[in-house]
Amino acid sequence: MLDMPTIWAVIIAVALLAYVILDGFDLGIGILFPLGRDRDERDTMMNSVAPVWDGNETWLVLGGAGLFAAFPLAYSILLTAFYAPVIAMLLALVLRGVAFEFRFRTRRRESRNYWDWSFIGGSAVAAFSQGVMVGAFVQGVAVENGVYAGGWFDWLTPFTVLCGVSLMVGYALLGACWLVIKTEGPLQRRMRNLQLPLGAAVVLLILLVSFGTVLENDAVRDRWFSFGSLWFLWVVPLLTLLLAAAYFFAVRADMEVVPFLLALGLFVASFAGLAVSLYPYLIPPDITYREAANADDSLTFMLVGAVFLMPIILGYTVYSYWIFRGKLRLGEGYH
Amino acid sequence: MEALDPIFLARVQFAFTISFHIIFPAFTIGLASYLAVLEGLWLATGRPVYMQLYRFWLMPFAIAFAMGVVSGIVMSYQFGTNWGPFAEKTAPVLGPLLAYEVLTAFFLEAGFLGVMLFGINRVGPKLHFVATLFVAVGTLISAFWILSANSWMQTPAAYLVEDGRYVPESWIGVIFNPSFPYRFLHMTLAAYLTTAFVVGAVGAWHLLRNRQNQPARVMFAMAVGMAAVVAPTQLVVGDLHGLNTLEHQPAKVAAMEGHFQTQTGAPLILFGLPDMEAGETRHEIGIPKLGSLILGHSLDAEIVGLDAFPRDEWPHVPTVFWSFRVMVGIGLLMIAFGAVGVVQAFRRRLFDAPWYLRWAVLMGPIGFVALLAGWFVTEVGRQPWVVFGLMRTADAASPIGAPGVATSLLGFIVVYLLIFTAGTAYMIRLMAHSPEMPSDEAVEEGPIRTAGIMPGPAQDHQHQHHHHH
């Protein structure tokens, strides 16, 4: 049934997915930043995303504003429930975002080191917090009378920590694959060497988180394993497996672009797995996206704009990536 | 124990994060338009000085923009983290306005900022100018939507109440609510003025070192011209905005004026000490009947005082009263500066009088002070309402306990002070470097081919860097 809330659930899901795969690789570069051996390598790593990073983070703003606009109840309850990780993520994003400019404006080595660490720490904490929130979301949120009724630290469990670590490793994988595309020489070689171990770790973590999800959330377990469960859902894990196999093949074949695309594919598949597991709940375990939706009139008004503007946005986003395609040219970007 | 009241802490947190945030968009709204003008002039005239200035201002712009982006992400989540009930009740009206801001403005700005900062060698000058224009237009579109949303909270219109939520009745009515046109114009001019005074101060600083510094002369003349035209315009717009506020939020105006008693032939109070306990402005120095003349357009017009409103619907009068005086005082100073500049220009002494240049340097940060003071007037003046007349701030907060809000507030204060200090220092350092290109470079190569978009300081940096290896 294609009503307004459903259309908007799809749009918000796509925006969040776009955020995860776009900001994912630039957060990943922050996580891998300590592996840059000298100033030149670190400059190169940062410059490989400098023209696009704030476009990438705009998807997070769309996620926030879109959730407010389309599912205000979820916006209010989830952000209140995840207060600590949300604030940690925001502060971390502040510290890493300014590093893109500040790092190149320093004169002394110590102050540059300082912004390097703010970039590294900020990227790592942002990634970890996001993973923790995904985990806490899967676990479910205590709600009474439309208000968050849980405790301060409901979001902190072994499962959510596992999710946090997983997302960090996943982003690092995307970052490594991106750098293989954008760089040459020793830095590229080191990133290539990371592709196998990081890929293996990600596959292992996807498995662990999947089992964890099934254990944490009874509804999810029933969906996948009970009698009469929807067998076609198993396309998603199968696809994930195929993508993983293709990824390792592509890495072995020394391809540059394909492993990155397949790694993105792994993220899309995991996201799809999560979506079909939790559908139709937006505030698990009880509140569906329809119950959390904004007034129909507001959703319609926004849809008019979204239908018209989204293709344009995608158009110039692709254009801007196209302008900066290829290996990083010597002397380009900040120094 | 008022300081540990979670709602009070949440208000402080919002006030702190939004005050910090607004500094940077205000500066980038002005600078983006200025950069577009500079690049347009360069394309039209081919004069290298405009490209020198473009490069000079691009780097501080990049820093301010980054700080605006990251502090803006914080804002887009804070309605949910700390003001959940407000978010739920107003989402049908305000949600789409913010969503449109992201869709029409943020993506446009972010999409073309990369091209603007790094892309001139890849796309060529004309397309690069288009990118600059898009970024500049994006900043204005963003101001349009966010000020529309803010104005609706000040003067809610065209809504119905359904299931305890405010639902739009007409989108045109919501977007163009009664105070929006005034606020949008007032804020845009404020951003332009603020930027003009920064540009003027930097130009003056370099002129004090070398009167013949060509780019410094050009930027200083442009800034003084802006001040001379925009500062008086802002006075007119501000007055219209004030009359609009008088119509829709009379208690706010009463607090701005320090009028506790409703009276005919009200004075214009210049200074005094508003005392909310006693319900009077003590030690007031005023001009008789001028208040009635300005607000009521007649010497004996009746001017409503705070006594016309229940005590629990008063804003915090001293904050509103003093913020208003700071804003207006700075505005008058800006008008004076612009007027003197016009006289100096006619005397052909614009670049030569050290006292005027020093005055310009001192005026550099003053626009930011006026801007923040203006926002304090309108936001504190709206209290105790979050949506004026409909929803009290006290009913709008999420159920987060004081320890949680206090911790996050402390986090914001520490991180923001750190990046503010560093960012301002880096911007000032860039601005302190002379915008003049080394003359040999300028002679040998045309402006397009000189190392792309990088300004002087970064080139120096690059040289040092290569020596270093």
Side-chain angles (χ1 to χ4, degrees), chain B residues 19-31:
Chain B
S19 298
F20 180 92
H21 173 67
I22 192 62
I23 291 170
F24 300 100
F27 190 41
T28 50
I29 288 169
L31 261 191

Side-chain angles (χ1 to χ4, degrees), chain A residues 200-219:
Chain A
V202 163
V203 171
L204 181 71
L205 287 165
I206 289 177
L207 280 173
L208 282 175
V209 170
S210 303
F211 283 123
T213 303
V214 170
L215 291 176
E216 285 290 335
N217 188 317
D218 296 343

Side-chain angles (χ1 to χ4, degrees), chain A residues 235-273:
Chain A
V235 170
V236 177
L238 273 177
L239 195 67
T240 314
L241 225 58
L242 283 176
L243 283 167
Y247 170 82
F248 289 115
F249 179 80
V251 169
R252 277 316 234 320
D254 271 350
M255 293 177 170
E256 283 194 352
V257 180
V258 179
F260 178 68
L261 297 177
L262 290 167
L264 290 184
L266 283 174
F267 266 83
V268 175
S270 305
F271 193 88

Side-chain angles (χ1 to χ4, degrees), chain B residues 207-218:
Chain B
L207 286 173
L208 281 168
R209 266 142 206 81
N210 171 16
R211 300 285 149 76
Q212 301 312 317
N213 188 327
Q214 191 56 27
R217 288 168 79 101
V218 172

Side-chain angles (χ1 to χ4, degrees), chain A residues 8 16 38-40 43 47 50-66 68-70 72-73 75-77 79-83 86-87 89-91 93-98 100-109 111-112 114-115 146-148 152 182 292-306 309-310 313 316-317 319-320 322-329 331-335, chain B residues 13 58-59 62-63 65-67 69-88 90-100 102-115 117-119 121-123 127 145 162 165 167-169 171 175 398-405 408-409 411-412 415-416 418-420 422-424 426 429-430 433 454-455 458 461-462 464-466 468-469:
Chain A
W8 274 99
L16 283 177
D38 53 26
R39 180 174 167 182
D40 275 342
D43 282 357
N47 280 327
V52 292
W53 74 271
D54 65 354
N56 296 346
E57 286 194 358
T58 305
W59 291 94
L60 185 65
V61 181
L62 181 64
F68 171 44
L73 192 65
Y75 176 76
S76 148
I77 291 178
L79 293 183
T80 304
F82 306 155
Y83 192 74
V86 171
I87 301 287
M89 174 189 80
L90 293 173
L91 290 173
L93 288 176
V94 168
L95 282 172
R96 84 178 277 277
V98 296
F100 277 100
E101 293 295 329
F102 288 4
R103 175 169 194 280
F104 295 100
R105 305 272 79 92
T106 54
R107 284 186 186 152
R108 286 176 310 137
R109 176 194 290 266
S111 34
R112 194 170 54 248
Y114 177 81
W115 294 117
V147 178
Y148 176 60
W152 287 106
K182 298 298 282 187
N294 205 344
D296 252 15
D297 188 29
S298 304
L299 295 179
T300 312
F301 175 60
M302 285 193 293
L303 189 63
V304 176
L309 291 163
M310 277 304 208
I313 291 169
Y316 60 67
T317 304
Y319 174 69
S320 130
W322 176 250
I323 289 173
F324 295 100
R325 70 192 176 277
K327 299 285 179 196
L328 216 63
R329 293 182 199 169
E332 200 168 62
Y334 293 146
H335 291 271
Chain B
Q13 177 168 302
L58 190 63
M59 289 300 117
I63 292 178
F65 200 94
M67 293 172 78
V69 168
V70 294
S71 57
I73 297 175
V74 171
M75 298 324 300
S76 75
Y77 282 84
Q78 211 163 157
F79 285 167
T81 50
N82 294 83
W83 302 99
F86 163 77
E88 282 170 41
T90 60
V93 170
L94 297 182
L97 303 185
L98 300 193
Y100 269 106
V102 182
L103 291 173
T104 57
F106 291 166
F107 277 111
L108 191 69
E109 295 173 58
F112 288 96
L113 181 76
V115 181
L117 293 180
F118 304 101
N121 293 332
R122 294 209 180 218
V123 298
L127 217 50
W145 290 111
E162 268 176 26
R165 300 201 283 196
V167 178
E169 192 180 32
W171 283 107
I175 295 168
S398 296
I400 307 268
V405 188
S408 60
L409 175 59
F412 281 117
V415 170
Y416 277 19
L418 180 78
I419 67 164
F420 183 83
T424 311
Y426 294 141
R429 192 194 283 169
L430 286 169
H433 195 280
M454 300 302 292
H461 208 145
Q462 189 177 349
Q464 288 165 10
H465 170 43
H466 285 293
H468 185 70
H469 284 270

